[in-house]
Structure formats: C-alpha cells, structure tokens
Amino acid sequence: MSHKDSSQTTPPKRRGPMGGGHPGMGAMLPSEKAGDFKGTLRRLLSTLRPHRAVIIIIFVLAIFSTAFTILAPKVLARAFDIIGDAVIMRFATGSGDLDYTSLLRILLIVAGIYLFSAFFNWLTHYTMAGVSQKVSFSMRQDIDKKLAKLPLSFYDKTPRGEILSRVSNDMDNIAMTLQQGLTQLISSITMIIGILIMMLTISPLLTLISVVTLPLAALLTARIAKHSQKQFSRLWETTGTLNGHIEEMFTGHQVVTIFNRQNKAAAFFEVENEKLYRSSYKAHFISGIVMPAMNVLNNLGYVILCVVGGIRMVNGQMSIGDITAFITYSKQFTMPITQTSSILNTMQSTIASAERVYNLLDEQEETSDAPASDFPEKTRGEIEFIDVDFSYLPDEPLISNMNLHVSPGQTVAIVGPTGAGKTTLVNLLLRFYDIQSGAILLDGIDIRRYPRDVLRSYFGMVLQDTWLFSGSIRDNLMYGVGDHVSEIPDETAMISAAKAAYVNHFVKTLPDGYDTILSDQATSLSQGQKQLLTIARSFLANPSILILDEATSSVDTRTELLIQKAMSKLSFGRTSFVIAHRLSTIKDADTILVMNEGKIVEQGNHETLLAAKGFYHDLYHSQFRSELDEAI
Amino acid sequence: MQKLLKYYKPYIPLLLLMLFFLIVQSLSDLFLPDLNADIINNGVLKSDIPYIWRTGLIMLVVTILLAISSITIGYLSARSSMAFGRDLRTALFDKVQSMSQGEMDNIGTPSLITRTTNDVQQVQQGSLMFFRMMISAPIMMVGGIIMAIRQDAPLSLSIVFILPIMLLLIFFLAKSALPLFKQVQTRTDRLNLVVREKLSGIRVIRAFVKTAYEEARFQSANADLTKISLSVHRLMALLMPTLMLIMNISSIFIYWFGAKRIDSGEMPLGNMAAFLSYIMLILFSLMMASMMFVMLPRAFASAERIRQVLDVEPSITDVDTTDTAIGDFNRLEFKNVSFKYPGAEEPVLENISFSALPGKVTAILGSTGCGKSTLIQLIPRFYDVSSGSVEINGVDIRKLRLTRLREYIGYVPQRAFLFRGSIAENLRYGKEDATETEMWEALRTSQSEDFIHAMPEGIHAPITQGGSNVSGGQRQRLAIARALVKNPSIYIFDDSFSALDYKTDSRLRHALSEKTITSAVLIVAQRVSTVLNADQIIVLEKGQIVGKGTHTDLMESCEVYREIVYSQVTKEEVG
Ligand SMILES: Nc1ncnc2c1ncn2[C@@H]1O[C@H](COP(=O)(O)OP(=O)(O)OP(=O)(O)O)[C@@H](O)[C@H]1O
Ligand SMILES: Nc1ncnc2c1ncn2[C@@H]1O[C@H](COP(=O)(O)OP(=O)(O)OP(=O)(O)O)[C@@H](O)[C@H]1O
Ligand SMILES: [Mg+2]
Ligand SMILES: [Mg+2]
C-alpha cells in the first residue's frame, strides 16, 4: 500500500508556517511527549469528582435499566412455555386451550419491564448529558482562567490557532466521548456484571470458559489501543498546527494575496493537511479493527462453549434448558464486552485531546500576585526607576542600569530612535514583563508589591498597536472603564470623550452611530479612526497615570492638533508619559527623556535639550530644518 | 450536502469496493444466526459432538470472513472519508484565499477557521459512520425481511407497522436536532471569536484590567455553547431508549399474534423463535444505524456551513482577463475613479484621476478617514472600482491576471503584519528565491541593517506571530524591506513611516529614492517632510481630490494643503 512508504518521506520535524521552520519555534507547547496515558486519564476522571453523586445515581439507574434488560428474557421465556405447553398438550391429548389470560398477563408484565428499562435508560442518558456538559464547561473555563494567568511571553510564542484548536476542537472531542462513552461504559459494565451473575448461577464451569476469552480480549484491546493512541495524538496535534496555519493565513490574508503567496500558503497547508489525513484514517482504521477482532474472539469462545456444553450434556451433567439459557446469556455477554473495548479505543482519542488541554493548563504561569490589601483607588503618580535591568531574551540585555524619577503630575515625554526601548519602558511599568534586577517604585512602593490588576488600574493608555474588539463602538469606548471604577460614565460623558478625540464626527456619519457593530479587527474603519477610538477610550478611563505610546501616529496632523488640547487637558495634574516621534507634540512636556539603545542619553526640557546641542538637537532638526527650510 | 457529494468522486472505486465488502459482511451477518441455531438444535441438543465441531468450524470461517470484510470496510471507509475531509479542507482553504477581505468579513475570520477545521471534522466523522453503519442497515434489513418471510409471511406484515414508526421517530428527532446542531456550530464560532480576540488583544485587556470582563464574555459564550449542547444531547438521549422500547414492545406483539397463529395451527411452534430472532436482527440493525444518528444531523449542519463558504463567488477574479502582454511598466493611471464600499450609502472616493509614472513619487495626503488607504487598495484590486478605471500601461487592471497585476506591486500595508518564521522567511515573501545579498540590500535600504546585525541570529532571528517581538518601527521597516526585496514596478507605502523617527524616516527615503529609479512610488503620509520632495502631491478631502501638484504649487493654490503644513510647522518655523 502506497500510503506506507510515502508517509515516511514526510519530515517528522514540525515546521514554521512558511515552510522553513526553525528550532525553538516549533515546540510551542510540549505536546509531543504524549504517553502518560494513565496520568491523563486519572486527571480527566478527577474532573468528574465534583459530580460524584450524580454519577453514582447514573450507576444506580444503569443498574436498574440493565437488570430489567436481563430480566425480561427470563419472563418472556415463560410466555414461550405457555405457548409451547398448549402445543404439546394438543399434540399429546388432541385438545388443549392456550391460556390467553396468563399469556396476556405475562406479556403485560414484560411490557412493564421494558417500559421501566427504557425509562431508566433514558434517565441515565439525560443525566449524563448534564454531567458531561458541565465537565466540558468547567474545563473550558479552566482554560480561560489559565489564559488570564499566562505571561505575555507565552502569547508571543504560541500560535493563536493552536490555542483556539484546544478550546474548540480538542474540547469538542472530549465532550463527545464524555457524553457517549461514559454512559455506554457504565451500562456495559453493569451489563457484564449482571450477566456474569446470571451465568454463574447456571454453570460456574461454563462461565469460566466464557471468561477465558476475556484476557485475550483485554490484550487485543490494549495492543490496538497502543497503535491508535499514537495516531490519535498525532491527529490532534496536526489539527492544532493546521489550525494555527489557517488562523495566521486568514489573518494576514491581504499580505498573502498581495505577494501572490497563496500557492505557498496552500503548499504548507497541503503538507499538514496530508499529515492530518494520514493520521486520521490510520487512527480510525485501527480503532475500527476492535469490533471485528472481538467478534472473531467471541465466536471462537462460542464454539468452545458449544463443544463443552454438548459434552456435558451427553454426560448428563447439564439440562437442555440450562444450556440454551446459558448460551443465550453468553451471546448477550459479548455485546457489552465488545462495546467496552471499542469505547476504550475511542478513549485514546479523548486522552490525546485531554493531554493537549492539560499541557496548556500546565504552562508556566506569571509569578504569583501580591496579596490584595487595601490600595487606594487613585495614586499620586510618583514613579521611580532604580538601577533597572531588563532584557526580553536572556543573552541580549536591553535596558541596563536605568534610573529615573518622575514627580507626581509631571508630563514626561520619551523620544528616541525606533527600537530604543520606549515601548519596553511602558511594558515594564505595567508589569507586562518583570524586570531582572533593580526596582520600579510607584508612590514609593515597589510595583511588584501591588497586585497586577491594582497597579494597572492606575494607568490609562493608548498602546502603539490599536486593538478593538468585535462589538459596538459604544462598548469599545466603554471598554476603558475599569471594572472597579465606582461610577460608570454616562452617555454624555462618553459623547464628550468621543468629541474630544474627534471620534464623534465620523461616528455620526455611520447609519447606526455609536451602535455600529465593528467586525473582528474592525476592518470597516480606517486605521486613523481606530486610533481615535482608542484615544477616546483612554479619555473615558480617567486614569491616575496616562500613557500615550505614539497615540496619534496614524492620525492626520490637523486632527492631531485638535486632540492635543484635549490631551493636555487630560494630562494636566496627572503623571503622564508621552511617546511620540512628532516632536512638536511633546515640546511642552515637563521632562523629555531621550532614549537610545535602552539607555536614557539625555534628560531635560525642550529648551535645555536644544541648547545642549546633543542627540535631541539632532532629532529635532532632522524633523524641521533640513528639508522644510530649503523648501519653504 | 449534495454539493459536497462531488468531493467523493475520486473515491468512487474505493466506495464500490467497500460496497462489495459490505454485502459480504451483511450476508455473513445474516448467515451466522442460522449457524448459531443449528449448532444448538442439531448439535448440542442432539449431543452430536462432531456436528458441533463441524458447524463450529464453518462458523469460525464465516466469522473470519466477516472480520476480514469488516476490517476492509473499516479501512476503506476511513480512507475515503478522511480523504473526503482532506479535500474539503483544501477546497475551503483555497476558496478563502481567493476571497476578498470584504467577503471574508461577511462570514468572519473566526468562523472561517472553525469551518475549515471543526466543521470538516464533523462531516468526515459523519461520513465514516454512514459508511460503517448506515449502509449495512438496509442490506441487513432486506436480508432479515426475506428470512422472516420465509418463516412466516403473514406475521412478517408486522414489520410494515414497526418500521414506519421507527423511521418516523428517527426522522422526527433528526429534524428537531438539525437546527440545534447548527446552533452548536455558530456558538462554537462565537467562542472562537472571543478566544481569538482575547489572544490578540491581550495587552489591552491587561492594561485596562479587563480580565474579569473578558472572563465574563468567555463565560457567557461558553455557557451558551454548553446550554445548546446540553439540549441537543438531552434530545438525543431519547433516541436509544425509545427505539429499544419500540423494538421490545414489537416483540411482545409478535408473541401475542404469534401465539394466536400457533393456536390456530397456522404456524409451527419452531418457526416462532426463528422468526423472532430475525425480526430482532432487522430491528437491531436499524437501531445500530440510528445510534449513529447522533452524528448525522451534526454532520448535516456542518455540511451546510461548509457549503456556504464554497458557494461564495469571489467578486475579484480573473474572469475578464484578456491576458494581454503589456510589457514593462510605464504608467499607472486612475481615470475618473469612484468607489463605494459594498453596502455603504455614500461613496468613499469620487472622480479620482491622476497618473503615476516610473521614477516619480506620488504622495497622497489627507485627513483621517478621507479615503487614502481605500484609494491605493484599488491598485492591487483588493476592491474593484465602482466606476471609472484604474489602468496600467493603458490597460484596465481588471483585464490583467491577478497574479500578474500583483507582481507589479510592492505594497506595505498601513498596519505592518509579519508572519511567524524567521526574518529571512518574511523577506522571502517578496521574492521566493531572494539571496542573502538581496535581502541585506533591502534591509540596508529600509534602515533595518543595524538592528538585525544586533540580533545574534541575524536574518535568521525568529519573528513571533504578527511580529510582536520587534518594536513598532522595526516591524514597519521589515514590512518595507519585504516589499523592497520584490523590486516591483509600483511601490505603495500606506503611511509606512509613521512609526519611524524623523531621522530614520529621512534616511530611509533617501536610500529609497536610489532604489526606485524605474518604479512609480505612491506614498500615503501624514508628515509634510515625507512628501516635500514628491513629484506630485495629491491632497484628498472627503474622498475627492482638492489639490494636485508639487509642494510649492500647493502652498500657493491649495488651502487644505496649507492647513496641513501649518499644523506641523509653526509659522515662525516656516518663515
Ligand atoms: N516581545 C519582545 N521579545 C523580544 N524582543 C523584543 C520584544 N519587544 C521588543 N523587543 C526588542 O526590544 C527592543 C526595544 O523595543 P521597543 O518596542 O521598546 O522599541 P521602541 O523604542 O518602542 O521602538 P519604536 O519606536 O519602533 O516603537 C527592540 O530591539 C525590539 O526588537
Ligand atoms: N471595509 C470597509 N467597509 C466600509 N467602510 C470602510 C471600509 N474601510 C474603510 N471604510 C471607511 O471608508 C473611509 C475611508 O477609509 P480609509 O481607510 O481609506 O481612510 P484613510 O484615508 O486611509 O484614513 P487613515 O489616515 O486613518 O488611514 C473611512 O470613513 C472608513 O470608515
Ligand atoms: Mg514602540
Ligand atoms: Mg489609511
């Protein structure tokens, strides 16, 4: 079969989306070490623990339902006897009436039994649906809670589609087996036990013979499971990779098309898709072997049973009735066994998914938060950097030995060439990343002693990357209002913030105004308009400390001038950090920090810095003199 | 669903082979109970041990035959269903790639992602179950009915009553489940959307301390999904027990009527047991089939969602191309172009006419939201003009093959977007076979050389998703380098210098001017210094051109332009 050899040609190494791949990037989450089957299973089962009581009820219900199912044939056999008696009577005596009343009575009893059995069966499924959905609900919640605790570096390195796949595809898979597998497993097990008891009452020896195939069945199941497990974990892993690729390509759709890279994107997709195809059909094929293989085994057992039974009957050790009954039971016995084995096999798929989910849940979290003691709702806004060292990557120092003092209410402008570390400074203030040594103090207290949420709630900011979420413009504006703000701004406050940020005038032209729903990534707004929205959002937030990281970089300069007024009004009396390349916007700052290569190279106000004829002087003149002078 | 059936076409031979084995399987399945009965009636009861051995052997042979066919079916069904799924995914991916941004937004990226993976998964799973279970059901049923009639024809009439009831039940359940399953998928979309936004907006979420809010958002999406899944599973919980009940009650009726027939001597006693076992066989196979019914409505719901995507007719296509060889680029021209976004009331651009020539720089200036990005997005045909035309070398771009058209263009989007991979891999987006020298050249021009040098791995340094591990200005310069590597005839810079400091900006433009001697350069910008030396400046205001000319011309003639200049330079500085 051709698939075998070609599967070996696909490189085992995970590759980057563009086909090049490089070390370190592929191993986003440790999903390769699949294998701790038992541990994962135990963990999965432990998620059922809160539902213990219900599961016990389900067990009881299943036992009832099974008991009735086993009971019915017994009673029904009596009906058969009645009919048979009549026939034999008639055969023997020439006359004999069928006892319709007792027949009817028995049939009614059986009908009742079936009714009960069905009812309990339904009840088990119904209850199980509740349990399995609750479990998958809380597992998803766990993922979400985990996401909130992961450091930003995790988000940098993990493909979004990969996480998405865990939340939707893997969880979906788990929910499915929880729902179907568990009930079947429970009823199969009760069935096995029930029938075993019935068989034991008839003939312990024959029972022994019927269970002789059980270890064989177990062995077979284990063997098959081992193979399918590998394929299933590959299946879900590839699904994740593929999802990551799809997510990224769909997100970067415009760039992909403009560079005519559809074919390249499709080529990588093909490779992963082919892998997915391979592992899925193999996994499904292998787990599909279980049933037929068990069938062979069962029939083998059946024949042996018949032989031994026949011999025992010849020897007069067993009656005909017992043998027929026994054989009927042994037939019934095989069904739940086959089912159990088949469920155990689909479990492989569940475990593979669960393992991926647990890998995510086991990711290294941010350092734990300081305990929440009563911090004030506002802060004075005094900030101090003491000997701060920081680097994103261990061996590439970025900020070293930085010292800085900002008095409350000061407006600090940060300027410097790109890559100087301006945004990094903001990242550190907000504790998106933790510094390696030194300390950052807010109002004299180390920022690591604030719970992150409290610390961040003091800040309001416009980040360099505009981000809006899908929802109405109104909701996006109100997003700035922190959760623990006591008074929620009203409509007028919102509109006045919108006016100040020049949002109002374009929102007015939209048919639905502030209720206009933005799609994900807000593609129907211009880049500048999105930025204006983020500015309005920070106006509404009314923070103690304001951070504007190139807040107006995409806004035209006439509008910028108009917003500037609102901005200075907002920053009046509160500590603010303004990062900007257009130096005109920061001229009035109390202090200007000039950064280069992670260091503060100059510090002072506009006049003193110009007079110093240093770095700032250069920057300033590259903006104004060189070209404008000649031109005008 | 029908529309998706065509994706089975390549696998018809596999399916036919499978059908053959299905028939073998069903026949063996039907044969086994007979052997079972024989072994008891003629062997065990008559204590004929050799007979037991013999029949047992036949039974084993049949079982093995059964196993072989089942395993083959398992293989063929897995192969064809998964191949079907794979082909569907490819079709979906290709379809989405051929869509325009607007068409993607109509469905929504998160939903498109769900559809390409999760929905396909449902469909292929449904297909697998269908092949494994559903097809054998009718075969078994027909076989069972024939056998049952052989035992007692009049009593077989009971099937006429039982079957419709069962089918009706299945039909009814499937019908009520279908819309629910559709809901399950749309709510999965919603969950995906929330999570995806959570991942992309993580900095904002944390900065604004919105974690709790986002958690609530997730929780409500999660709860919605759970609720609908719960109701669908509770509905499905009805299926098995009711089917079992119908089956069992039927057997009771058969006992009753059978008894009457035996009583009146119309049927021998022995046939009754056999008859019952066949009826059970029929009903059991039907039940097995219906067990799989849990899968099918879900597969149908997903199939519908997949079909929706495949049915999208991309509006921007190659259909009208004449594929004329138009040779080297010599002119880009906008002729009376107006443009309205689909569904919008007002046009965004009106009567835009200008031309851009090789070696010349055309700058576009205007206030936020005036239509600059829209205008330049018409050139690579991200959108098609509503009226008028955009022409290259005098040929309407709608007549050019899309790939050919886009080969002319080096585009730097307003929001620099980098892909996961190394810097080199990102640069090779511009030119697949770019050499290191070419890449360094582009990096030098885009003023990225220094910071790339500073990285230990150089151009092989990794870039994380979206470019989050480089600074805003660095990202922008890499996006510029990516376009430079391509060495195109038309450069489009959509506000691509906004994150650069002025020094870098001016150095970059100087370096750029040396590289673009034979290319037309279109620059959207906010800074006057960026556009000062442009050969032509177009001033846009509310989608219309209000000024066109050089800096000096416009300083005299264009009020809007003067306003823009004075907003950046105070009067004293100009004077
Ligand atoms: N998440 C990250 N992981 C690794 N390195 C990073 C990360 N973010 C930034 N860097 C690196 O740190 C340096 C400083 O980046 P930063 O974003 O602070 O620059 P910046 O001064 O804000 O520049 P710009 O003006 O371009 O925004 C850059 O060399 C950048 O490549
Ligand atoms: N996909 C879209 N659907 C509907 N309207 C849109 C879409 N994209 C942009 N618009 C609207 O069209 C107008 C022009 O947008 P465009 O992006 O061209 O502006 P711009 O001049 O590039 O602005 P900026 O300087 O902010 O980038 C804006 O009012 C915007 O809201
Ligand atoms: Mg920055
Ligand atoms: Mg724009």
Side-chain angles (χ1 to χ4, degrees), chain B residues 124-153:
Chain B
Q124 72 183 16
Q125 202 69 25
S127 152
L128 187 70
M129 290 306 165
F130 181 79
F131 290 141
R132 285 193 178 167
M133 300 292 189
M134 310 281 277
I135 291 186
S136 63
I139 302 177
M140 294 287 286
M141 233 155 64
V142 172
I145 289 173
I146 292 170
M147 301 290 236
I149 290 175
R150 252 183 31 195
Q151 302 292 336
D152 189 86

Side-chain angles (χ1 to χ4, degrees), chain A residues 152-153 156 390-393 396-399 414-427 433 464 549-550 579-581 595 597-598, chain B residues 203 451 454-455 462 464 467-477 498-501:
Chain A
L152 274 178
S153 54
D156 284 348
F390 173 75
S391 67
Y392 286 103
L393 305 169
E396 289 171 55
L398 180 63
I399 288 178
I414 309 172
V415 299
T418 76
K422 306 181 292 291
T423 303
T424 306
L425 218 57
V426 175
N427 285 341
Y433 299 88
Q464 200 167 6
D549 189 357
E550 310 212 16
I579 300 175
H581 287 306
M595 284 191 74
E597 295 178 358
Chain B
R203 282 181 166 77
F451 79 84
M455 298 178 175
T464 56
S468 62
N469 66 336
V470 287
S471 85
Q474 289 167 344
R475 199 178 317 147
Q476 219 165 37
R477 280 177 284 165
S498 62
L500 306 185
D501 56 284

Side-chain angles (χ1 to χ4, degrees), chain A residues 16 160 234 255 337 341 366 451 485 496 508 510 519 527 602 604:
Chain A
R160 284 199 287 264
R234 201 173 290 166
V255 180
I337 289 180
S341 152
E366 282 184 317
V485 165
S496 74
K508 265 192 333 212
L510 299 170
S519 68
Q527 196 59 36
E602 283 174 38

